[in-house]
Amino acid sequence: MVKKVTVKTIRKYKENNEKFSALTAYDYSTAKYLDEAGIDLILIGDSLAMVALGYETTNSVGVEEMAIFTKAVAKGVSRAMVITDMPFMSYHTDIPAAIKNCGEMIKLGANGVKIEGYSDYILEVITRCTESGIPVVGHLGFTPQFLNTLGGYRIQGKTQEAAEEILKQAKQLEKAGAFAVVLEMVPQESAKFITENLNISTISCGAGKYCDAQVLVSDDVFGKYSDFTPKFARKYADMKELILTCAKQYDTDVKTGKFPSENEIF
Ligand code: KIV
């Protein structure tokens, strides 16, 4: 019987100064392998809008689509904590709609949700989710759902003053009940300052080595998505090349009559 990673486990990691790993997954098999590999937190990121659905930004994905991917990933995972990224406009209109949409992901097998940004309203969403038994991961620094407001993919928290502002916001998220916070595209020294002054875990997405955890988009890690790779992502394989090689070989085998062989027929 595997011991499931829970909010309690993540809090323990912080207390013990122990790092943990997170990656995105969007389908059953990938989630199963990441879980088997020991990844602690599996995020159904709204990045799936771009890497799995081919949309231009993350803002085009909806609750119904996130629900399908959540169901698939949750089925593949036994140990890791499964977190669903709540998509653009799924938690912004009013509190009842936010709770309903977040709760839907839990019903489908997620163990928590991630929501972006900071405002009095967001704090209220986090409080109400937490009170309802929905663990929440916050997301500060560069928040992709605010792409149009931020004016592009820009590094956040560059000055001491800006880092202090992110820390202030993170402390409020913590107070509202968030059990961790993603820091995206924040300079390493600012992220260090924030991490050292928070009681909840920071999860770096391009925020350097001093955070409590690291998260990357798995399609970047495996070299599968090639439209754009951020500077902070490390590519461990070249799945694009592998897929191309396999598909070309299959195409040749079919066209030259090499597939199927005697062993591959009834
Ligand atoms: O959508 C996503 O994949 C994310 C990241 C933090 C990796 O939000």
Side-chain angles (χ1 to χ4, degrees), residues 2-18:
V2 285
K3 200 157 184 281
K4 180 89 182 161
V5 177
T6 64
V7 171
K8 225 170 136 183
T9 323
I10 304 283
R11 290 197 193 279
K12 265 255 152 355
Y13 285 152
K14 176 82 180 182
E15 267 172 50
N16 298 342
N17 210 3
E18 206 180 318

Side-chain angles (χ1 to χ4, degrees), residues 35-48:
D35 195 41
E36 198 179 318
I39 300 300
D40 301 290
L41 187 151
I42 296 180
L43 174 72
I44 301 113
D46 61 358
S47 50
L48 71 82

